[in-house]
């Protein structure tokens, strides 16, 4: 029977009504399978630092007579613990987002959002003598969640710094984009002249937990979740994220968001 082919999603609305959405079963199964994959990957990724911390704890105990070794192992425990907290925080962030529109959307000055995102990486950039600059058109406005958009941009800026050599340049540029079909949009590009990404890898970098160079990413504290968080946030805002990159020359990640409608005049 036709009904048996359908999976249903039941949403409880704010006014107390219930909305039932019929999904085709294969789509529902696909979602289930990707949730299962995510759980399996997350479990695997979480086990790595947990296992390391357990072993390092035993090593500290055995090295009780060697103060230098105790300090060395303790530092490693601290590094693995911060990695574990970052992983947990990002997994929680992703599970909350799921590409949904933000509940706390407001009018936002794009320059101000970018400024906050850059502030989060200033220390890291200074330590590596990387310049952070903002260029393009000033005074653009979007509608969205301040916290989410700062997070998305901060992730891109953090990557631009992480995957560049010392003394590199990271530039954030803003511009309005006319789009007759979808309405005016705003593009925010984060460019670096760093290590770049091969064409083959650019297709996969938005996948959860995907890292081009596992060893390098792990060494720099990467989780492989930063760009999936960017994609979820941007999609939830009705935008999209694109990447242009050339191995050895650098990368540009561009977020495009709908421009905020003009403010209604208050009579
Ligand atoms: P990670 O936590 O590993 O940085 P992301 O999801 O943020 O995870 O990025 C996925 C992978 O994409 C990274 O491991 C890195 O290999 C690559 N990548 C992301 N941004 C850049 C960039 N600006 N330049 C070069 N490679 C990048």
């Amino acid at each position: 029977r036709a009904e048996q082919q359908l999976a249903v999603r039941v949403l409880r609305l704010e006014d107390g009504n219930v909305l039932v959405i019929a999904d085709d079963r294969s789509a529902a199964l696909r979602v289930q399978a990707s949730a299962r994959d995510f759980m399996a990957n997350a479990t695997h990724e979480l086990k790595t630092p947990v296992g390391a911390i357990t072993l390092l704890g035993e090593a500290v105990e055995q090295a009780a007579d060697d103060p230098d070794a105790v300090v060395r192992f303790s530092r490693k425990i601290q590094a693995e613990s911060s990695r574990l907290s970052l992983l947990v925080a990002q997994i929680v962030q992703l599970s909350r987002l799921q590409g949904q529109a933000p509940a706390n959307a407001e009018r936002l000055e794009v320059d101000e959002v970018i400024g906050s995102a850059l502030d989060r990486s200033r220390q890291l950039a200074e330590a590596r003598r990387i310049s952070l600059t903002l260029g393009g058109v000033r005074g653009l406005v979007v509608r969205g969640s301040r916290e989410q958009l700062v997070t998305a941009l901060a992730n891109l800026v953090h990557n631009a710094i992480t995957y560049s050599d010392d003394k590199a340049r990271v530039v954030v540029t803003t511009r309005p984009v006319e789009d007759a079909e979808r309405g005016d949009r705003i593009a925010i590009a984060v460019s670096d002249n760093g290590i770049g990404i091969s064409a083959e890898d650019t297709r996969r970098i938005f996948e959860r937990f995907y890292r081009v160079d596992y060893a390098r990413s792990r060494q720099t504290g990467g989780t492989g979740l930063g760009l999936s968080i960017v994609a979820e946030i941007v999609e939830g805002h009705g935008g999209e994220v694109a990447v242009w990159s050339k191995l050895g020359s650098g990368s540009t990640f561009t977020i495009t968001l709908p421009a905020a409608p003009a403010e209604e005049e208050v009579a």
Side-chain angles (χ1 to χ4, degrees), residues 9 42 53 57 68 72 126 130 141 178 183-184 190 196 200 264:
R9 249 180 329 139
I53 291 169
D68 288 347
R72 214 168 48 242
E126 270 167 31
I130 289 177
V141 183
E178 278 180 32
D184 288 346
V190 180
E200 200 182 327
E264 276 178 36

Side-chain angles (χ1 to χ4, degrees), residues 159 163 192 197 205 210-212 217 222-227 251 253:
N159 280 349
Y163 301 105
D192 64 65
I197 309 162
I205 51 172
Y210 187 79
R211 282 163 271 181
V212 174
S217 167
T223 59
L225 290 176
L227 286 177
S251 315
F253 285 81

Side-chain angles (χ1 to χ4, degrees), residues 49-215:
V50 169
I53 291 169
T54 310
L55 289 176
L56 286 161
E58 287 165 17
V60 170
E61 195 179 355
Q62 278 160 20
D65 298 335
D66 180 350
D68 288 347
V70 169
V71 171
R72 214 168 48 242
F73 291 140
S74 305
R75 289 213 176 113
K76 284 191 179 157
I77 290 178
Q78 288 167 37
E80 293 293 339
S81 308
S82 10
R83 189 180 159 68
L84 187 57
S85 335
L86 178 67
L87 260 172
V88 171
Q90 291 194 322
I91 289 170
V92 169
Q93 212 171 15
L94 261 179
S95 68
R96 289 209 182 120
L97 283 167
Q98 308 208 330
Q100 280 179 21
N104 53 346
E106 51 181 326
R107 280 177 73 82
L108 300 167
E109 305 275 345
V110 173
D111 302 334
E112 198 270 327
V113 172
I114 296 172
S116 301
L118 290 174
D119 284 345
R120 291 201 190 167
S121 287
R122 275 201 211 283
Q123 264 188 327
L124 178 66
E126 270 167 31
R128 304 214 16 231
R129 297 211 272 151
I130 289 177
S131 69
L132 296 180
T133 44
L134 175 58
V137 179
R138 301 274 72 80
L140 300 173
V141 183
V142 293
R143 245 192 98 70
S145 152
R146 185 175 190 285
E147 189 196 333
Q148 287 186 18
L149 291 178
V150 171
T151 299
L153 286 165
N155 284 359
L156 293 182
V157 172
H158 188 271
N159 280 349
I161 296 171
T162 304
Y163 301 105
S164 293
D165 295 324
D166 288 356
K167 300 185 197 161
R169 288 170 54 82
V170 173
V171 185
V172 183
T173 327
T174 48
R175 69 188 161 89
V177 180
E178 278 180 32
D179 188 324
E181 268 171 43
R182 293 184 297 177
D184 288 346
R185 299 171 88 74
I186 282 163
I188 309 169
V190 180
S191 306
D192 64 65
N193 55 353
I195 63 172
I197 309 162
S198 71
E200 200 182 327
D201 282 318
T202 50
R203 273 193 274 275
R204 301 202 55 195
I205 51 172
F206 290 98
E207 287 173 22
R208 293 169 174 193
F209 297 112
Y210 187 79
R211 282 163 271 181
V212 174
D213 178 346
Y214 186 87

Side-chain angles (χ1 to χ4, degrees), residues 221-261:
T223 59
L225 290 176
L227 286 177
S228 2
I229 291 173
V230 174
E232 294 278 357
I233 291 177
V234 172
E235 278 162 27
H237 281 75
E240 64 254 321
V241 50
V243 53
W244 173 92
S245 189
K246 197 165 173 226
L247 209 52
S249 303
S251 315
T252 296
F253 285 81
T254 306
I255 287 179
T256 315
L257 298 167

